[in-house]
Amino acid sequence: MIAALVILPLLGAIIAWLVPDNRLRPWLLPVFGMLHGAITVDLILSPPLPSLQGWIHLDPLGCLALVAISPLFLACSFYAVGYLNYRQERSNRILCMGLLVCLSAMSLTSVAHHLGLLWLALETTTLVMAPLVYFNRNARSLEATWKYMMICSVGIALALLGLFFLAYSMLVAGHEATLLLDQLVSRAGVLSPAWLHAAFVFILVGFGTKVGLAPLHTWKPDAYGEAPGIVGALLSGGLVTCGVLGLMRIYQVCIAAGDTTFYRDALVGLGLLSTILAAVFLVRQADFKRMLAYSSVEHVGVIAIGLGIGKGAIFFTLLHLLANSLTKGVLFLTAGNIHRSYNSKRCDVVHGVLRRLPWTGSLFLAGFFAGTASPPFGMFLSEFGIIAGSFAAGRPVVTTILVVSFAAAYLGMAANVLPMALGERLRESERTLYRDSFLTVAPPLLLTLILLLMGLCFPLPLARLVHNAAFLLGGE
């Protein structure tokens, strides 16, 4: 069944290539998205044994990644049908194929227990998303695509070098070199500390570039700003989840090795830099899609800080990873609607969204509250838990910086989002025919309801899954 998780989307991509009709082709996305969702549920309820000599294993961390990825892709797939129906002026063949190949690669990332295979899957997501960032085919999207490709490729190459160091640390310890996660964790206590430190640094920089930790985030504002909303949602929700999962895999080896001070301080340091920098750039941001990119930088920083604090904060860090994936889906899909309707991404041009696009405006506003960790959404619980974990760990400076950054980010986003949603329509804003439709509103509405459910009544089976995943990372 795990094989179907990876192979079925690839089959869908081949069919998408063969289907000649530009209107019929996007419907393949929800079909394979629903199949992927059904397989995910079945695998989580009945996890299979490790296969291919331990290369493939769906553990609780992998299950959690699938819980974040599968609903997000399903929502994006239905949205894509409505969005691409509006964009009939150009072929959607590459977009549909790319989305399905990306789903396959993200699934492989979730189940890979060989770090080389995980790296390959992550690299595939990077390559596949590049032409999708260029979907609008203008000079700005071309520049964003090149920047995305160049920076992420360098990052992923550094991560590969880190994996070589990790394998070499096994040789230095007198064991056969391997990148199998289970063997690395079981023998972590005898690994060479120097080579393990070097491996961690390179992998942190490499995968940190992939997820957009500051100061490695410079591709994000351009790529998120120029990509269609559906691509932005998958970049900030799906690919960030996969990149963080890669970081968590090396983190598993590091905590099994014993002394974790170096690794945790590095994560907290980069996390704090990300939240501070994001808060600064969120204030007076002129482009609302770039604003969402900096919001993503902030949340990746929060995840790094929670991972670095460890123990009681790990559970809430994983909860934050899940909530971030769904929240970014709401924000980027509704931002795509606003961009199409106003034909502009400028915050000073887009005013009165609630009047022109009532459903989109309401959901964008809800996404803002969810993304800034306002109650009763799930992210409120996760950020509150990470702050409490920081207090309990005796890190007052980290706690203070986090609280100040959250407040600055909230005020910075509110200064843009509230006038956009509630303000009076401006004369210079362009009138277009784009309006709310069922397929472009229902997917973000569904994600918003899930986020509300996470905040009001966190489902017990999901809480158990997060607990089991936290245990693998040394959480309580």
Side-chain angles (χ1 to χ4, degrees):
M1 193 60 83
I2 284 185
L5 202 66
V6 178
I7 293 172
L8 263 180
L10 288 178
L11 179 64
I14 294 171
I15 297 174
W17 175 258
L18 296 173
V19 171
D21 192 318
N22 216 36
R23 290 186 180 275
L24 181 62
R25 192 182 301 116
W27 282 102
L28 291 170
L29 296 173
V31 169
F32 283 92
M34 286 190 290
L35 287 173
H36 187 274
I39 296 169
T40 296
V41 171
D42 183 66
L43 288 172
I44 291 173
L45 293 177
S46 307
L49 294 172
S51 56
L52 296 179
Q53 299 179 327
W55 282 49
I56 301 296
H57 180 199
L58 185 59
D59 63 4
L61 266 178
C63 287
L64 192 66
L66 285 177
V67 169
I69 293 167
S70 198
L72 176 65
F73 184 88
L74 187 58
C76 289
S77 66
F78 277 102
Y79 177 89
V81 176
Y83 173 76
L84 293 174
N85 185 48
Y86 183 79
R87 302 295 303 273
Q88 286 297 312
E89 77 274 12
R90 63 189 54 184
S91 169
N92 54 45
R93 176 176 277 122
I94 299 296
L95 183 72
C96 293
M97 285 182 61
L99 292 175
L100 287 165
V101 174
C102 185
L103 177 62
S104 172
M106 289 192 294
S107 304
L108 183 58
T109 304
S110 303
V111 301
H113 258 229
H114 188 284
L115 298 184
L117 185 62
L118 184 147
W119 177 89
L120 183 66
L122 277 175
E123 177 67 8
T124 302
T125 61
T126 301
L127 295 174
V128 164
M129 292 303 268
L132 310 193
V133 174
Y134 183 55
F135 180 74
N136 288 318
R137 298 179 192 174
N138 53 40
R140 291 173 65 90
S141 62
L142 179 63
E143 180 186 347
T145 304
W146 273 111
K147 189 180 284 189
Y148 164 75
M149 277 294 295
M150 293 296 292
I151 297 176
C152 286
S153 296
V154 170
I156 210 77
L158 291 175
L160 181 61
L161 200 56
L163 292 180
F164 289 154
F165 291 162
L166 188 60
Y168 187 68
S169 68
M170 287 285 279
L171 274 179
V172 173
H175 295 282
E176 184 180 349
T178 181
L179 286 175
L180 277 172
L181 182 64
D182 295 339
Q183 291 185 16
L184 286 166
V185 170
S186 64
R187 297 170 183 169
V190 300
L191 295 180
S192 162
W195 284 106
L196 185 56
H197 283 192
F200 176 79
V201 169
F202 275 84
I203 292 172
L204 177 60
V205 172
F207 290 162
T209 305
K210 174 81 176 174
V211 301
L213 275 171
L216 315 163
H217 68 286
T218 49
W219 61 271
K220 259 190 170 182
D222 291 303
Y224 287 16
E226 298 306 321
I230 181 176
V231 177
L234 286 173
L235 280 171
S236 60
L239 269 62
V240 161
T241 299
C242 293
V244 170
L245 180 63
L247 280 176
M248 288 177 173
R249 293 306 190 192
I250 181 69
Y251 186 77
Q252 282 183 261
V253 180
C254 293
I255 59 172
D259 184 13
T260 57
T261 306
F262 172 78
Y263 314 114
R264 287 182 169 168
D265 285 349
L267 283 166
V268 170
L270 278 184
L272 286 177
L273 180 61
S274 301
T275 54
I276 294 169
L277 188 142
V280 170
F281 278 90
L282 279 170
V283 176
R284 308 293 295 174
Q285 185 57 239
D287 182 319
F288 62 83
K289 291 182 80 174
R290 292 175 73 90
M291 176 187 71
L292 299 184
Y294 283 108
S295 172
S296 177
V297 173
E298 181 207 7
H299 289 299
V300 170
V302 173
I303 291 168
I305 292 170
L307 206 55
I309 293 170
K311 296 193 178 297
I314 294 290
F315 175 89
F316 295 100
T317 301
L318 294 174
L319 183 60
H320 196 80
L321 180 66
L322 182 58
N324 175 66
S325 172
L326 303 178
T327 303
K328 289 301 181 293
V330 176
L331 285 170
F332 275 96
L333 295 185
T334 51
N337 290 345
I338 296 169
H339 183 199
R340 284 298 112 206
S341 180
Y342 285 79
N343 202 22
S344 174
K345 297 179 291 175
R346 287 173 51 194
C347 298
D348 59 345
V349 171
V350 177
H351 279 209
V353 178
L354 277 173
R355 291 181 178 81
R356 186 183 287 195
L357 304 169
W359 281 96
T360 292
S362 303
L363 291 169
F364 189 65
L365 207 52
F368 156 68
F369 287 120
T372 51
S374 304
F377 294 99
M379 207 170 270
F380 170 74
L381 288 180
S382 61
E383 290 198 356
F384 186 82
I386 291 171
I387 290 173
S390 180
F391 261 124
R395 291 178 177 249
V397 176
V398 173
T399 309
T400 304
I401 295 175
L402 261 181
V403 171
V404 173
S405 299
F406 288 162
Y410 182 91
L411 293 174
M413 286 189 72
N416 284 326
V417 172
L418 296 181
M420 284 175 61
L422 306 171
E424 293 293 329
R425 185 179 64 81
L426 302 177
R427 288 185 177 179
E428 57 264 35
S429 62
E430 186 175 330
R431 290 181 177 275
T432 66
L433 297 177
Y434 192 92
R435 291 294 183 268
D436 284 337
S437 68
F438 177 76
L439 286 172
T440 56
V441 165
L445 175 62
L446 178 65
L447 295 178
T448 305
L449 292 176
I450 296 174
L451 286 165
L452 267 176
L453 181 66
M454 287 176 63
L456 294 172
C457 179
F458 197 58
L460 188 59
L462 187 57
R464 194 176 297 122
L465 175 62
V466 177
H467 266 298
N468 292 339
F471 179 74
L472 293 177
L473 298 171
E476 294 174 347

